[in-house]
Amino acid sequence: MTGRSDPIAATRHGRVQGNLEGGVLVFRGVRYGADTRPVRFARAASPKAWTDVRPAQNYAPAAPQTHALEPTSEDCLFLNIWTPGLDQARRPVMVYLHGGAHAHGSGSDPLYDGCNLVLRGDVVVLTLNHRLAGFGYGYFANLGGPAESGNVGNLDICMALEWVRDNIAAFGGDPARVMIFGQSGGGAKVVSLMAMEQARPLFHSAATMSGQHVTAIGPMNATRRASAWMAAVGAPDFDRFREMPMERLVEAMGGPDPIEGKGEISFASTLDHRALKRHPFYPDAPVEAADIPLIIGNTHDETGYWLAATLKAGDTTWDNLVPRITGQIVKDVDPQWLVENYRKLYPTHTPGQLLLAMSTATRSWPGHLVQAEMRARQGTDNAPSPTWMYQLDFPAPEAGCVLGAFHTLDIGLVFANTHLASARTGATVEAAELAAHMADAFIRLARHGDPNGGNLPQWPRYTLERRETMIFDRAISVERDPRGEERKLLAPITYIKPGG
């Protein structure tokens, strides 16, 4: 490097120049893969080396996606790095995989800024862009396309992790202590990577935050979705489809899903028997990943994120509760039976509060329980699996806390970025104190493979006997089997991921 104000780091492909921001060295838009347009739907190529010093002060384009909020391009394989120094300190490395249901987002959201994690924990933080939606997870193996097409988004992440392995020492990081963590779709990518042979050697600890995937998309349903996408643009075969303009392909992804009959065409990790040879948590947790320390987290009121307008309106009544919950259920359970039993569990709840509780328990919560239970079965009472469960109960302050602790609320806490309005935690002392605990726990997992330490209560590993879960709230505590009566009520009803 030339100096802290204009840091220059050497990668195996060439030198890059970043910025000094608040005492942290920041490199944005560092290339880890070549332009994907020439290899659309296939494995990406490594970038060609360069001899000049490439600027790394600005974020690079996001992957092609519908409803994009930033510039997009098929030339999207870039990552961002926050580090205390370009030295030989060999710090833990925390690689964040963004959410967005495998279809939206990027690593450049201000909420993912790594400066505060770096300053708190003397770690190196990375975010990255990779191919999304049909470009990253469209499965064309049975339609004349590449065999790996249903998982090239995950293979891009593998390429980024290989870049970390080969280059992160030059940025003060330790390639032998790499943690991956992600929220929602990012958490789903985490557990999919744990099931992938190519990915597992590239990281050493992991955390999934509201990433409730148990199964990947099966190859037959994935083929139906790819066929629907081709039909939407009028392509008679894969070769012509592959050559169509990016903008036309993106527009066509916005049509309804051919299996679920709603939303956009749904693309995600695919059980292709090649890159991904098994489901993440079916029929069990992958034994090859059993020794990888894993945090599994969820928020108490996940569906408050999607039901915000309804909950704020406050117009849910006993008369319309059954039809409203019918539209939210993922588990195949009779809505009337569900309402009757939840009214017995929570006799003082309002209809709106029951809507929030029931929708979370039958839509977003089940996958997390399956993940934790499958991991717990890999251990014993004397030697539990290295798995820790948390539940965020800290409510968002907006609208009188009516949304509860909703989906995404833990992101700003884990990044210690509660001062940002987009965190939605409120820029309060309480939120900052909770963020300190959560961020430090994640940092300790990256450093030691165990989140325990500091002022946090002792966090036991998750077992089927005790089901001990860290409750992150204004007062932090460990609770045995939180919402246990709900769990027991719904346990006989199989969880099946829609459209899987």
Side-chain angles (χ1 to χ4, degrees), residues 199-324:
R200 277 193 299 268
L202 301 172
F203 60 93
H204 312 95
S205 60
T208 175
M209 307 155 60
S210 301
Q212 62 263 28
H213 281 214
V214 172
T215 56
I217 295 178
M220 294 178 66
N221 278 347
T223 300
R224 286 178 62 187
R225 288 176 163 125
S227 297
W229 191 18
M230 292 174 62
V233 295
D237 55 52
F238 176 77
D239 287 337
R240 295 191 210 184
F241 176 77
R242 180 171 51 187
E243 296 307 317
M244 287 190 166
M246 178 190 84
E247 294 78 10
R248 187 173 178 188
L249 296 180
V250 169
E251 181 182 8
M253 290 192 302
D257 185 77
I259 297 169
E260 298 184 59
K262 61 182 181 180
E264 301 179 348
I265 302 177
S266 179
F267 299 102
S269 303
T270 303
L271 182 69
D272 62 2
H273 309 296
R274 299 174 181 88
L276 184 59
K277 298 179 180 179
R278 56 154 296 150
H279 291 293
F281 282 96
Y282 181 83
D284 53 17
V287 64
E288 298 87 353
D291 61 341
I292 297 177
L294 175 66
I295 290 176
I296 299 172
N298 68 104
T299 68
H300 186 277
D301 310 289
E302 294 273 2
T303 54
Y305 181 83
W306 296 281
L307 295 174
T310 297
L311 295 172
K312 289 179 179 180
D315 58 358
T316 302
T317 67
W318 298 121
D319 292 330
N320 63 25
L321 179 56
V322 169
R324 283 191 173 180

Side-chain angles (χ1 to χ4, degrees), residues 161-489:
L161 292 173
E162 290 167 352
W163 186 98
V164 170
R165 178 195 63 198
D166 297 338
N167 294 281
I168 205 62
F171 292 82
D174 184 354
R177 286 190 293 174
V178 176
M179 171 186 169
I180 60 172
F181 65 120
Q183 189 275 339
S184 191
K189 296 164 200 171
V190 166
V191 298
S192 295
L193 292 172
M194 293 181 72
M196 290 178 61
E197 295 175 2
Q198 181 175 338
R200 277 193 299 268
L202 301 172
F203 60 93
H204 312 95
S205 60
T208 175
M209 307 155 60
S210 301
Q212 62 263 28
H213 281 214
V214 172
T215 56
I217 295 178
M220 294 178 66
N221 278 347
T223 300
R224 286 178 62 187
R225 288 176 163 125
S227 297
W229 191 18
M230 292 174 62
V233 295
D237 55 52
F238 176 77
D239 287 337
R240 295 191 210 184
F241 176 77
R242 180 171 51 187
E243 296 307 317
M244 287 190 166
M246 178 190 84
E247 294 78 10
R248 187 173 178 188
L249 296 180
V250 169
E251 181 182 8
M253 290 192 302
D257 185 77
I259 297 169
E260 298 184 59
K262 61 182 181 180
E264 301 179 348
I265 302 177
S266 179
F267 299 102
S269 303
T270 303
L271 182 69
D272 62 2
H273 309 296
R274 299 174 181 88
L276 184 59
K277 298 179 180 179
R278 56 154 296 150
H279 291 293
F281 282 96
Y282 181 83
D284 53 17
V287 64
E288 298 87 353
D291 61 341
I292 297 177
L294 175 66
I295 290 176
I296 299 172
N298 68 104
T299 68
H300 186 277
D301 310 289
E302 294 273 2
T303 54
Y305 181 83
W306 296 281
L307 295 174
T310 297
L311 295 172
K312 289 179 179 180
D315 58 358
T316 302
T317 67
W318 298 121
D319 292 330
N320 63 25
L321 179 56
V322 169
R324 283 191 173 180
I325 191 58
T326 300
Q328 298 298 323
I329 294 173
V330 167
K331 283 200 170 195
D332 194 351
V333 57
D334 181 78
Q336 186 68 50
W337 175 89
L338 187 67
V339 171
E340 291 172 358
N341 279 274
Y342 262 75
R343 290 190 73 171
K344 294 175 184 176
L345 285 178
Y346 303 111
T348 63
H349 272 29
T350 66
Q353 289 170 331
L354 282 184
L355 175 65
L356 180 56
M358 291 186 296
S359 57
T360 293
T362 57
R363 173 178 173 174
S364 299
W365 186 37
H368 308 134
L369 285 175
V370 172
Q371 293 171 352
E373 290 168 351
M374 291 297 184
R375 286 276 294 192
R377 290 189 177 101
Q378 293 180 322
T380 66
D381 290 342
N382 294 327
S385 165
T387 305
W388 296 267
M389 186 81 163
Y390 79 77
Q391 176 177 289
L392 178 67
D393 283 16
F394 185 84
E398 60 192 87
C401 300
V402 70
L403 307 183
F406 56 74
H407 190 76
T408 73
L409 198 64
D410 44 358
I411 301 174
L413 294 163
V414 166
F415 275 92
N417 283 334
T418 55
H419 61 287
L420 297 176
S422 59
R424 300 177 71 180
T425 56
T428 64
V429 172
E430 285 183 324
E433 289 177 346
L434 179 58
H437 285 293
M438 294 187 72
D440 288 352
F442 274 57
I443 289 166
R444 286 190 294 267
L445 184 74
R447 176 166 278 113
H448 305 299
D450 189 324
N452 279 290
N455 295 321
L456 199 68
Q458 180 62 31
W459 192 349
R461 296 184 181 193
Y462 192 86
T463 65
L464 292 175
E465 178 186 10
R466 299 181 64 84
R467 298 179 180 270
E468 289 171 307
T469 302
M470 185 67 72
I471 306 298
F472 285 114
D473 201 346
R474 294 181 179 91
I476 300 173
S477 63
V478 172
E479 185 175 333
R480 289 187 63 175
D481 199 12
R483 293 185 285 178
E485 294 305 311
E486 293 184 60
R487 178 186 63 78
K488 294 171 186 175
L489 176 69

Side-chain angles (χ1 to χ4, degrees), residues 58-113:
N58 299 307
Y59 289 116
Q65 55 192 277
T66 59
H67 311 295
L69 301 175
E70 57 190 307
T72 64
S73 170
E74 289 184 77
D75 188 11
C76 60
L77 302 188
F78 298 88
L79 49 79
N80 315 296
I81 308 158
W82 291 262
T83 180
L86 307 181
D87 50 31
Q88 302 302 312
R90 301 184 74 84
R91 302 171 178 87
V93 181
M94 303 176 69
V95 180
Y96 183 73
L97 307 180
H98 69 80
H102 291 76
H104 302 101
S106 74
S108 60
D109 191 308
L111 198 56
Y112 314 151
D113 185 288

